[in-house]
Amino acid sequence: MSNLKDPRVLFAAERTLLAWNRTSLSLIAFGFVVERAGKLTLAISPGIISPGQLVGMLWLGLAFIVLGAITSAHSARQYAVVLRTLTPDEFPPGYTAKWGLLVNLAVALLGLILALALWLWRLY
């Protein structure tokens, strides 16, 4: 439990959450690019990539997307733990500290939906 009674503790935790948010979004975006690169290669030069390589790129891309979603969810959980340790004096008046938490949870959910959609539509 923090006894500093200083809002900078909250803002430091929020900056950490935002850094993890950027990391998770980057992982999700990279996974999408990896998965789509196989489809693009197949469309441009059909004989250059084998079906096994295409499946491998699908699973590698999905792994990055799921890793990004897990990272986002875990960082939201960690931030919630930190928020519970803060005293009311460490929150500026009228400041809503849970917005970042909701955004990270939304990123985690949307990342999982993206991974599921790519997996279900893998035949197209």
Side-chain angles (χ1 to χ4, degrees), residues 32 35-36 58 62 65 110-124:
F32 182 78
E35 194 277 335
R36 289 287 122 173
L58 167 73
L62 290 177
I65 293 169
L110 292 172
L112 290 175
I113 290 170
L114 175 64
L116 181 63
L118 290 174
W119 183 72
L120 290 175
W121 299 331
R122 68 190 179 278
L123 301 175
Y124 303 108

Side-chain angles (χ1 to χ4, degrees), residues 3-109:
N3 291 319
L4 297 176
K5 296 184 178 27
D6 188 350
R8 290 182 291 182
V9 175
L10 167 66
F11 296 137
E14 198 167 65
R15 280 190 304 275
T16 302
L17 175 72
L18 293 173
W20 279 112
N21 184 265
R22 286 188 302 272
T23 301
S24 63
L25 285 169
S26 297
L27 286 167
I28 291 169
F30 183 68
F32 182 78
V33 168
V34 166
E35 194 277 335
R36 289 287 122 173
K39 300 263 188 198
L40 180 63
T41 305
L42 186 63
I44 292 172
S45 302
I48 202 165
I49 190 167
S50 71
Q53 289 171 319
L54 192 60
V55 170
M57 291 180 84
L58 167 73
W59 287 110
L60 183 61
L62 290 177
F64 273 108
I65 293 169
V66 170
L67 179 62
I70 290 169
T71 300
S72 187
H74 181 69
S75 63
R77 186 186 145 297
Q78 289 289 100
Y79 182 66
V81 168
V82 169
L83 284 182
R84 284 193 295 270
T85 67
L86 300 179
T87 63
D89 294 333
E90 293 172 301
F91 291 89
Y95 189 79
T96 306
K98 297 199 183 220
W99 179 246
L101 180 69
L102 295 174
V103 169
N104 264 37
L105 290 173
V107 167
L109 178 64

